[in-house]
Amino acid sequence: MTNDPFSELHSANTEIPQIRTHSPIAIFYKQKIGEKILYTKVQDGEISAFEDEEYHALHKNQNFELMYVLHGELTNFIEDKEYLFHAGEGCLLNTQILHREILSDGCNVVFLNLSPALLRDLFANDSGDGPIFQFLQQNLQSDAQWKRSYIEFSPCLPYQSEGFHVIIDSLQLEVATSKIGRSYFQRGLILRLLDALENANQFTLQQIDLDLSKEDYLVNRVIHLIESRFGNISRKEIEAALHYNPEYLNRLLKRQTKMTIATYAQMIRTQKAQQLLNTTDLTIQLIAERLGFSSEAYFYHYFKKQTGFSPNQYRQKFKL
């Protein structure tokens, strides 16, 4: 990235660039337009934008970074692994993770950078007790400064959370303003955003520890792939994503969960169908489409076989 007015790349070790911002809260947007990237930064009451080449170097961040895909998809290279993130998915990285992103054409993604000092100040007065807050608090401890870990999140139902987008938009407005009281609104919205990520009706979370054993790491990856695709994923697709033999992955998953990939995927797909029937007014046809069934008739057959109820019977009996 040449003449980047948004952040300064610096490093004590020239082989590991580190992106540093100069305020406790900074929001960056990246949008792929043809061969160029449109960069937009919101920080300290100002909005700036410029167009440049995509920055391809593996780097760390001085601050915690929350990435969220607004539209399209991107490939995130985290350490030596490659992951595909779709709209509605994202991750929260600590300061020890080497990473870089490659956006697909039309992709739009937002990055929220939060300084450790800001988070310590926030948590001294108000904090949740779920996995996001625990992850941040653990990583703020001095003995965690070398841990390589992050959290992946994906929508627990096959559509994006409008409420989460409203919080992001509201936070952007408060970071962009110079009006009195902005810091109080910013801090409140950050807490609301982190709390929204912990809403089990909106997001599925998984903490990834890169220093885990190979087996534990791969099982975690398989589980996350199945859950993030609502059970609608084949062994071939898992093989393509993880670059491991599917029979090997199947054995690892069965060893730890007592379920094969196919059985685990069926369980997740059924759970998502039950959740949509319980908590929404979506038609049966639309639920079938969103969960990737080839037809409404096949969905009826599948659901009845898994639960003993037809979708309509299940909704009538269990709808919240």
Side-chain angles (χ1 to χ4, degrees):
M1 194 184 302
T2 58
N3 300 320
D4 178 358
F6 294 164
S7 59
E8 175 185 347
L9 290 177
H10 70 98
S11 179
N13 179 345
T14 56
E15 294 182 357
I16 306 178
Q18 184 184 58
I19 291 182
R20 179 177 65 185
T21 58
H22 302 285
S23 63
I25 306 171
I27 302 175
F28 298 87
Y29 292 88
K30 290 173 65 176
Q31 184 175 7
K32 181 76 175 289
I33 304 174
E35 297 301 316
K36 295 287 187 178
I37 300 290
L38 175 63
Y39 295 87
T40 305
K41 184 187 78 168
V42 185
Q43 180 178 306
D44 295 331
E46 297 181 351
I47 300 177
S48 307
F50 79 107
E51 193 177 85
D52 204 344
E53 302 292 335
E54 191 161 12
Y55 183 66
H56 290 300
L58 279 169
H59 59 276
K60 294 182 179 180
N61 286 76
Q62 183 189 47
N63 298 331
F64 291 89
E65 179 179 88
L66 189 150
M67 180 202 79
Y68 181 74
V69 182
L70 296 165
H71 180 75
E73 61 184 34
L74 65 79
T75 301
N76 204 342
F77 296 87
I78 298 177
E79 299 286 337
D80 59 343
K81 304 295 191 303
E82 177 182 331
Y83 308 110
L84 186 64
F85 287 83
H86 300 84
E89 299 177 343
C91 59
L92 174 62
L93 306 178
N94 74 6
T95 58
Q96 300 304 316
I97 297 292
L98 274 169
H99 63 285
R100 65 187 179 98
E101 306 86 23
I102 304 296
L103 279 64
S104 63
D105 194 33
C107 178
N108 192 3
V109 59
V110 59
F111 300 87
L112 173 61
N113 281 257
L114 303 171
S115 74
L118 169 70
L119 291 171
R120 288 191 184 95
D121 183 52
L122 278 177
F123 296 160
N125 300 301
D126 197 359
S127 177
D129 56 4
I132 293 283
F133 288 96
Q134 289 179 10
F135 169 82
L136 290 169
Q137 289 171 334
Q138 289 168 0
N139 278 275
L140 288 169
Q141 297 173 8
S142 59
D143 61 354
Q145 59 182 324
W146 302 112
K147 290 183 179 178
R148 300 183 305 153
S149 60
Y150 66 97
I151 286 183
E152 289 186 348
F153 55 89
S154 57
C156 65
L157 294 174
Y159 50 82
Q160 295 187 50
S161 167
E162 292 183 6
F164 191 72
H165 282 219
V166 169
I167 297 173
I168 292 175
D169 291 343
S170 300
L171 180 58
Q172 182 228 298
L173 290 174
E174 292 300 330
V175 175
T177 188
S178 56
K179 292 181 179 179
I180 189 170
R182 61 190 179 278
S183 63
Y184 294 99
F185 284 105
Q186 291 168 10
R187 283 161 168 75
L189 286 165
I190 290 168
L191 289 170
R192 289 287 177 86
L193 184 143
L194 298 177
D195 186 62
L197 281 174
E198 295 192 336
N199 186 334
N201 291 320
Q202 295 187 34
F203 292 100
T204 298
L205 306 177
Q206 183 180 29
Q207 181 166 331
I208 307 295
D209 294 310
L210 295 179
D211 298 316
L212 285 175
S213 69
K214 177 182 175 181
E215 177 174 327
D216 288 341
Y217 171 79
L218 286 173
V219 169
N220 284 343
R221 293 300 307 157
V222 170
I223 288 173
H224 179 73
L225 281 170
I226 293 172
E227 292 183 349
S228 66
R229 301 297 181 269
F230 316 112
N232 184 27
I233 189 170
S234 68
R235 298 206 315 179
K236 283 289 186 183
E237 290 171 316
I238 293 174
E239 177 186 14
L242 299 182
H243 309 293
Y244 278 89
N245 183 285
E247 287 297 335
Y248 172 65
L249 296 173
N250 201 51
R251 288 197 301 272
L252 295 185
L253 183 67
K254 190 171 183 179
R255 184 183 301 163
Q256 293 203 14
T257 68
K258 310 302 181 186
M259 287 185 278
T260 64
I261 288 174
T263 304
Y264 194 89
Q266 286 177 353
M267 179 187 73
I268 295 300
R269 209 174 191 192
T270 302
Q271 288 177 353
K272 296 304 179 184
Q274 290 171 320
Q275 190 172 3
L276 286 169
L277 290 166
N278 282 346
T279 61
T280 76
D281 294 318
L282 295 175
T283 65
I284 305 301
Q285 180 181 356
L286 193 52
I287 291 174
E289 290 175 359
R290 292 195 172 182
L291 293 177
F293 288 91
S294 57
S295 68
E296 185 177 350
Y298 177 55
F299 174 60
Y300 265 90
H301 174 76
Y302 176 92
F303 192 84
K304 181 73 177 288
K305 181 179 179 181
Q306 296 296 321
T307 67
F309 297 95
S310 73
N312 283 325
Q313 289 171 336
Y314 188 89
R315 173 170 271 171
Q316 291 170 4
K317 186 175 180 65
F318 297 107
K319 193 169 191 321
L320 300 177

